[in-house]
Amino acid sequence: MSLQELEPMFPQKLGTYHSKDPDPDKDKTIPFLQALFEFAPTAAGQHSVAVDILPCATDECLEELAKRYLYGLILPIRVGGRKTCPESDHSSRVFADFDPTMNSDLVEPAKAGDLLTIRDLVLRRENY
């Protein structure tokens, strides 16, 4: 669906939300999701937010989605000074070098100009 088709459904979906907080004014789930949609830097970003919100059938789903955006997108950006975080060298990070199931032909560099090979390797790496 296009953004123009999704946009009218967006306020209707958020209007069905009922806060479980005893003081509904403290629950920022709906204003937060509205702000994500409204201030997304691109139309593709707005589309992505709308596509995430519209399938939510329960209040809990909307709350979890808001938490996912807050802890997975907004807070990491703020902590990183509006930059993406550097790669972690933490010992719990999974490295492809240690994965015994890694097939060596999935990590070989493709020749320059061979976009179909690059595309196929990426799709195989991502299990598509």
Side-chain angles (χ1 to χ4, degrees):
M1 286 185 134
S2 72
L3 183 58
Q4 291 78 21
E5 294 171 318
L6 293 173
E7 199 165 1
M9 293 184 270
F10 187 76
Q12 185 178 16
K13 171 57 91 174
L14 295 182
T16 64
Y17 177 79
H18 300 290
S19 175
K20 291 187 176 150
D21 195 313
D23 184 4
D25 293 335
K26 288 185 179 180
D27 187 348
K28 302 297 183 198
T29 301
I30 298 306
F32 179 71
L33 292 172
Q34 287 172 325
L36 279 173
F37 179 78
E38 185 177 338
F39 296 107
T42 64
Q46 287 182 326
H47 185 269
S48 179
V49 171
V51 166
D52 284 346
I53 289 173
L54 291 175
C56 284
T58 64
D59 295 338
E60 291 80 17
C61 179
L62 288 171
E63 289 169 359
E64 288 302 315
L65 183 62
K67 287 179 187 175
R68 187 179 63 151
Y69 274 118
L70 178 63
Y71 293 111
L73 177 69
I74 302 300
L75 291 179
I77 289 173
R78 290 189 69 192
V79 168
R82 298 181 184 258
K83 298 176 185 168
T84 56
C85 298
E87 287 187 22
S88 171
D89 290 329
H90 192 272
S91 62
S92 67
R93 181 175 173 211
V94 177
F95 291 97
D97 298 340
F98 300 135
D99 186 1
T101 63
M102 180 61 76
N103 188 345
S104 65
D105 68 339
L106 296 178
V107 293
E108 289 178 357
K111 294 180 177 54
D114 192 356
L115 296 178
L116 290 176
T117 301
I118 293 170
R119 180 182 170 271
D120 289 341
L121 288 171
V122 169
L123 289 173
R124 283 186 17 204
R125 180 191 71 206
E126 301 297 327
N127 294 323
Y128 281 99

